[in-house]
Amino acid sequence: ATILYLLAILSILFVKTKLKSKILWSLIFLACWPLVNIITPSINKIAYQQYFRTNVAKLKVLATLMASEDQYLHIKQDKIETSLTPLDLKDSLQLMHLFEELELSMASKGTCIIFFEIWGMLDNRRGVYYELMEDSTCLRKVPKIARLDDRWYCPIGLELD
């Protein structure tokens, strides 16, 4: 969003228009910048909460299926990576179907947590964590998370109201 915002301001400045028009539009964009920064976190939180509330049942089914495997799993758009043996066709199809239905970017199962990535770009990953064992210490290693529901966790600031 920041890059698009800067590109818009640059296009205003370098387009052949009158100076008054350039100044006016630049001031409008600069005045809106704080507003965008204030509103964006609220919109993200609402979208995050809506996604979780709408899809919690399917997420639980996917978490149960992934937890039943005694190996590391990593699911991406087009493949499932495993640490030991490949999954049988039925399990693979079932996992991929739910993964696609939930429109996830990635799902990864470790020894005690599963991370479902809803959105991610570069070093900014948004998703929910599922704790495989109650009261495990694994989630203490994950910075800045808060309990959502039962064994579900999310980044601080995006908790359910």
Side-chain angles (χ1 to χ4, degrees), residues 110-128:
T111 53
C112 55
I113 60 172
I114 301 174
F115 176 63
F116 298 101
E117 183 180 281
I118 298 167
W119 180 87
M121 185 176 201
L122 301 175
D123 64 343
N124 187 2
R125 303 284 173 207
R126 295 289 178 152
V128 291

Side-chain angles (χ1 to χ4, degrees), residues 42-158:
S42 298
I43 291 171
N44 286 342
K45 182 176 181 173
I46 291 166
Y48 203 84
Q49 292 174 350
Q50 182 62 33
Y51 178 87
F52 184 75
R53 285 186 178 120
T54 304
N55 295 302
V56 69
K58 291 177 188 172
L59 283 166
K60 285 181 181 179
V61 171
L62 185 56
T64 303
L65 289 171
M66 290 179 75
S68 69
E69 291 296 324
D70 292 329
Q71 58 183 333
Y72 292 98
L73 293 176
H74 189 78
I75 306 173
K76 293 182 181 178
Q77 298 325 57
D78 57 347
K79 65 181 175 178
I80 299 174
E81 297 172 1
T82 60
S83 61
L84 300 173
T85 57
L87 301 177
D88 64 38
L89 185 60
K90 180 185 172 194
D91 290 342
S92 293
L93 290 173
Q94 195 172 16
L95 285 172
M96 288 306 290
H97 174 72
L98 276 169
F99 181 83
E100 290 168 4
E101 202 173 301
L102 288 164
E103 298 179 6
L104 295 168
S105 300
M106 183 260 301
S108 187
K109 176 195 173 261
T111 53
C112 55
I113 60 172
I114 301 174
F115 176 63
F116 298 101
E117 183 180 281
I118 298 167
W119 180 87
M121 185 176 201
L122 301 175
D123 64 343
N124 187 2
R125 303 284 173 207
R126 295 289 178 152
V128 291
Y129 299 87
Y130 179 75
E131 186 177 34
L132 293 172
M133 300 172 279
E134 279 189 66
D135 300 322
S136 110
T137 59
C138 288
L139 285 169
R140 292 183 194 150
K141 299 174 189 172
V142 180
K144 300 178 183 175
I145 63 165
R147 185 180 293 270
L148 263 174
D149 177 33
D150 189 25
R151 293 182 176 184
W152 294 93
Y153 294 83
C154 71
I156 288 177
L158 299 174

